[in-house]
Amino acid sequence: MIKKFGFRNFGSFKDGAEISFTYNKNTPEDTAQGQGVGTVLGIKGANGSGKTNILKALVFLHCFCTKRMGTRSNSHTKESIIDIPLETFFDNDDISEFYIEFLINNTTYYYELDLSKHGIHREELRRKNKKEIVCVIRENNKVTECLKEFSELKSLNLKADQSIVSVISDFNFNSPMEDLKTINLAFIMIQFNVGEGGYQSYDIDDFFHVSEFYKKNPEALEFAQNIISCIDEGVSDIVIEETVDKSSGETTFYPMFVHHNEDAEFSIGLAHESMGTKSLFLNLHRYWLALVDGSLLVLDEFDTHLHAMILPEIIELFTNTEINKYGAQLIITAHNTEIIDNLGRYRVILVNKENNESYCYRLDEVNMLRNDRAIAPIYSKGKIGGTPKNIQNLTKRLAEKWR
């Protein structure tokens, strides 16, 4: 589980942000799970406030700590150039800072990363069980401090564009270096629908790939079918069909949605289903994987194509301990207002922007809010931030200009 993560000089956040799943002693008992670590966070804010940049910071860490990224060659000199795809505040050249805390098997891991587009300046991994221990510190391209079990790393000429966490996958070390393997796996298991440009839409190939996954994982298909049939009452079953291309021999998988009308049964293809049903079909395998693995699911525009009454039920997949047995976590952005009351102030991050610089806070930091009062009415009035500032009378102002 992730306890918290933070960053500085990334996206629209110049001075930084901290996103915490951790609860304090004042949190209602039925809200806290997993040693005081929550399982759901919802991020809200006006359009362009910086909501997605929070998710992109987490996705950047995932990418950077699971694979080498960034090196390219100069087309004229053929010289290798470090060019990490790091989105700094207004494209400045200052160092960006990231940190994240994981709670894994009763041990807290702290990972810190300082880098620029031209390479890593510093990395540090610590762990804490009974006491805090420094596992390894890397400065520029050298390991400067480490436990004995990480000493092999000192002999490596580390690449400026490769995290020490991902190095564990590239070499056969004599020492097991279990801490690096643990953190590497925690990053690998993160799922998301966010890319460099933000929210990633789907194309037809995604449906084929997801259909193949469901075919190979019937429990995931049953999970998706149970939810979809409750939300779309017309769908009674989902069958994954397959066809083989005679020329290439490749197999393509695709879904057929079974409908009933009186005694007749009809199978309908993807093109004729609603956008809500399509969205659920594509995303529910991610929910299933997160719940089975106890991993993190990161979803931008979580509420797209879904009725407002569906959203609390989807969120409860992660707050219900009978379903979420392994501490899976969900972090989302959404525009739906009522969802704030379903989440509660301990699970909502509000994002604002002043002078094109974003900042954020969790709602339990706002003193005027109480656990027994609805949040949405106060939010809608703009009293706690996270709403568009100039939307009032927009049409009237526009009409005056059109006279």
Side-chain angles (χ1 to χ4, degrees), residues 10 60 64 69-71 82-88 116-117 196:
F10 182 84
F60 176 84
F64 198 76
M69 59 189 298
T71 300
I82 302 298
D83 187 21
I84 296 172
L86 178 64
E87 185 182 341
T88 58
S116 69
K117 297 176 183 179
E196 188 175 349

Side-chain angles (χ1 to χ4, degrees), residues 307-366:
H307 192 281
M309 294 175 67
I310 297 171
L311 307 181
E313 298 297 327
I314 299 292
I315 287 171
E316 194 175 346
L317 293 172
F318 289 80
T319 59
N320 187 318
T321 55
E322 293 182 5
I323 295 175
N324 187 6
K325 299 177 181 179
Y326 307 110
Q329 293 175 297
L330 175 69
I331 181 168
I332 60 173
T333 68
H335 288 288
N336 179 275
T337 298
E338 291 77 14
I339 200 172
I340 287 184
D341 288 323
N342 298 121
L343 290 167
R345 63 197 190 105
Y346 299 93
R347 298 190 183 112
V348 175
I349 303 285
L350 286 190
V351 186
N352 293 280
K353 184 180 275 188
E354 297 285 348
N355 296 320
N356 277 317
E357 184 176 342
S358 299
Y359 63 96
C360 64
Y361 45 89
R362 207 168 72 181
L363 275 186
D364 56 339
E365 299 174 20
V366 179

Side-chain angles (χ1 to χ4, degrees), residues 20-21 31 43 71 109 135 137 143-144 206 239 245 253 264 295 303 350 359 397:
S20 177
F21 282 92
T31 305
I43 302 173
T71 300
Y109 289 92
C135 298
I137 296 177
V143 170
T144 56
D206 294 314
V239 178
D245 187 299
F253 299 86
S295 56
D303 50 343
L350 286 190
Y359 63 96
R397 297 199 305 270

Side-chain angles (χ1 to χ4, degrees), residues 20 55 77 157 187 212 235 249 280 288 309 346 376 396:
S20 177
L55 305 188
T77 65
N157 182 21
F187 279 118
E212 183 177 2
V235 177
L280 286 168
W288 181 82
M309 294 175 67
Y346 299 93
K396 290 182 179 179

Side-chain angles (χ1 to χ4, degrees), residues 21 62 101 111 161 272 281 296 342 370 390 394 403:
F21 282 92
H62 157 88
E101 294 182 20
Y111 174 71
D161 57 353
H272 301 288
F281 179 81
L296 172 68
N342 298 121
R370 286 173 37 180
N390 299 313
L394 183 151
R403 288 176 180 173

Side-chain angles (χ1 to χ4, degrees), residues 366 368 378-385 387:
V366 179
M368 66 184 295
I378 302 173
Y379 170 78
S380 297
K381 291 177 181 178
K383 292 185 176 181
I384 54 178
T387 55

